[in-house]
Every structure is written in C-alpha cells, then in structure tokens.
Amino acid sequence: GVYFADKQIAMVFGGGKIGMMGAIADAMLQKNGKVIGVIPHLLRHEEVEHNGVSKMHISENMSDRKVIISKMVDGYIAMAGGFGTLDEIFEALTLGQLGIEKKPVGILNTNGFFDPLLQQLDRMVEEGFLRKENRAMLLVEESIPKLIDAMYAYKAPIVTKLVKTVGS
C-alpha cells in the first residue's frame, strides 16, 4: 500500500475494510493514496464496507462488480487469497486470452503461495490445454516493484482467429 501511494498508483479493490486488502487500503490512505472500492450490495454492511476509501461504488452483485472494476483498471494484481481471488484472476486472464482486454495480469507470489497453481498451469501447457503464449500472459514476481515493472513492460499477445481443439 505504501509503495502504491508513493508511486501514485491508485488501487481499485473489493471495498472491504477487513483482511489483507483492508490493511493495504489503510496503508495507502494514511499516505494520501487513491483507493476506490467496488462492493456488491449484499456485502455492504458495517462489518465489511471500508468507509474511509476515496470513492465507493456499489454494485448489484459480484458479476457486476467485476465489470465495474474491469472498466476502471489498467491491470490486475492477485495476492494470496481464496476462491474470489482465483475467480477474478482467471476471468482477467480469459479476457486477455480472447483479446477482449489487453491489460497485464500479475500475481504477487509471496512465500511461494501460488507455486502449486503455477505448476498446474505448466502442466496444462504440457498436456495441451493451455498455449505457451497464454501461460506467459500471467506475470509472476515475489516483490511489488518487480511486478509493477513487469506490468508496465507487458505486451498483450496477438490473438488469432484459428481455434485448435485438443484431440482433433
């Protein structure tokens, strides 16, 4: 959060005050960073919603939240998390694979948290379920400065119209 605030990088996130993302938002806000929340109406209650953010958008549901966030961001970063983290990062990668978006997608792989997932992606390439160039879309670093540098240098792959199916 401090790094983002110091580099004047705004953060768009799920709008909660709890957990790691709440702590990052707090750190940014303490340094006068710009923090924008997008929270679904069903999660908008006093125990969850971060009331100190620069701006808060309320979405109808989780799907609408992802669309709103997608329209606001220049790239995506995932950190250790659960189902929601994986859902959001894989949707962003899928949009990039299809050429719908050309935004960088990064993982901050702190303490090797994502190593098993990265091994699975490599296996998907080996087994022919994922193209190497699509696997390379996922930027992985262990430090925020390196990840941000990789994101700034990112070039989206050229999407071809030819679709190859496995087994044909």
Side-chain angles (χ1 to χ4, degrees):
V2 170
Y3 179 88
F4 278 19
D6 286 347
K7 299 291 183 184
Q8 298 183 345
I9 299 172
M11 180 175 76
V12 180
F13 79 122
K17 67 179 178 183
I18 58 175
M20 184 168 42
M21 294 308 299
I24 292 169
D26 289 342
M28 288 186 69
L29 292 166
Q30 287 174 1
K31 299 273 290 178
N32 295 317
K34 185 174 182 181
V35 180
I36 301 166
V38 183
I39 194 166
H41 185 61
L42 69 107
L43 294 178
R44 191 177 184 212
H45 47 83
E46 199 168 305
E47 297 82 34
V48 175
E49 183 179 359
H50 196 305
N51 294 319
V53 298
S54 310
K55 184 165 176 83
M56 181 69 76
H57 297 270
I58 311 303
S59 66
E60 286 297 315
N61 54 50
M62 297 295 278
S63 295
D64 289 341
R65 176 173 86 169
K66 288 190 285 187
V67 171
I68 292 167
I69 289 173
S70 174
K71 290 178 181 178
M72 298 175 73
V73 301
D74 296 322
Y76 303 90
I77 295 176
M79 293 176 284
F83 284 148
T85 300
L86 294 177
D87 172 55
E88 291 174 6
I89 204 73
F90 281 117
E91 181 162 337
L93 287 165
T94 300
L95 293 172
Q97 178 179 309
L98 297 173
I100 295 169
E101 289 190 350
K102 298 187 183 307
K103 300 173 184 178
V105 179
I107 283 182
L108 183 62
N109 194 24
T110 306
N111 297 323
F113 180 83
F114 287 104
D115 286 352
L117 176 66
L118 299 171
Q119 290 170 352
Q120 179 62 42
L121 295 177
D122 292 339
R123 181 163 183 194
M124 292 166 70
V125 171
E126 292 167 14
E127 299 286 334
F129 292 103
L130 181 63
R131 295 169 63 192
K132 269 187 182 177
E133 56 269 25
N134 294 132
R135 167 63 178 89
M137 292 169 49
L138 182 59
L139 308 173
V140 182
E141 294 291 346
E142 295 179 10
S143 77
I144 281 288
K146 286 182 179 178
L147 183 56
I148 295 300
D149 288 346
M151 293 179 79
Y152 279 129
Y154 177 75
K155 301 277 189 256
I158 296 170
V159 176
T160 60
K161 301 293 181 196
L162 179 64
V163 176
K164 180 181 177 187
T165 58
V166 175
S168 61

